[in-house]
Amino acid sequence: MVCLLVLLMLASCAASPQDLSGKMFTFPQQTNMARVTLTTSTVSFNAATVCHRSFTDLKRDHILFSMATQTNSNAFLVFWDSTNKEMEPHIKDAKKEYGGCDYKPGMWHSICSTWDSVTGLVQVWCDGRPSSRMFVTSGPISGRTITILGQEQDSHGGGFDAKQSFVGMMSDVHMWDYTLSACEIQKYVDELNFTPGNVLNWSALDFQITGRVLTEDKQMTCH
Ligand SMILES: *[C@@H]1O[C@H](CO)[C@@H](O)[C@H](O)[C@H]1NC(C)=O
């Protein structure tokens, strides 16, 4: 009975969203399992915007954001291709490459990706600088989604590869089920008042940590 109560309490703890304002996830080592699984209730996307800030010293390919459905393991994915120095948004397993991203190691970068199912256009914003708007794929993303930080899914919730894992710090992850305007993206990049994500909200984040990932205070610069 006591056990059952504890279990119920644990379950409800895991399910209650946390305010991560001023916090970051630290991924301190390369593994094929350490990750943060994010809970979303949305089942179908006609459009989407994903924004995140990250810091890494990796000089290899790595994942920044991985959302999979049963049919598309790269339903909405943001990946850094180190060989070609390209930021790659993937939508429903189709990808585009953006070579204009000044993604240096050892500093924070704000990356936003927008996509719309009617036009099929994807656009990446690196530290507030837009890529050209490119056709990637049209039609909605549908089915149960699994969203993961730190690992790249090659199957629905699995198929991780240490060599594509994220090592470093990540913060301010937001997702919207619509495309943000250039002005709203600029507000996010400048850390001004912006409308938090209605799919993933860093101020009310439902998540589960697996393996060695820490929730720490964001390091501020000292004035
Ligand atoms: C995000 O979370 C904050 C804190 O709980 C809440 O005040 C706000 O309404 C949320 N925003 C959205 C769009 O869900």
Side-chain angles (χ1 to χ4, degrees), residues 18 44 56 59 65 69 77 86 91 97 100 104 121 128 132 134 147 157 167 169 179 185 195 217:
Q18 288 185 42
S44 181
T56 183
K59 293 202 180 74
F65 184 91
T69 62
L77 188 105
E86 286 169 342
I91 313 291
E97 295 100 0
K104 289 193 188 71
L121 300 187
S132 53
M134 292 181 279
T147 308
V167 183
M169 294 92 82
T179 54
I185 286 173
T195 309
D217 287 335

Side-chain angles (χ1 to χ4, degrees), residues 34-64:
R35 62 189 182 276
V36 180
T37 308
L38 306 175
T39 310
T40 66
S41 46
T42 316
V43 288
S44 181
F45 292 91
N46 290 313
T49 302
V50 171
C51 290
H52 36 81
R53 275 186 256 282
S54 57
F55 183 113
T56 183
D57 284 305
L58 289 172
K59 293 202 180 74
R60 57 161 171 78
D61 294 357
H62 57 267
I63 188 68
L64 289 165

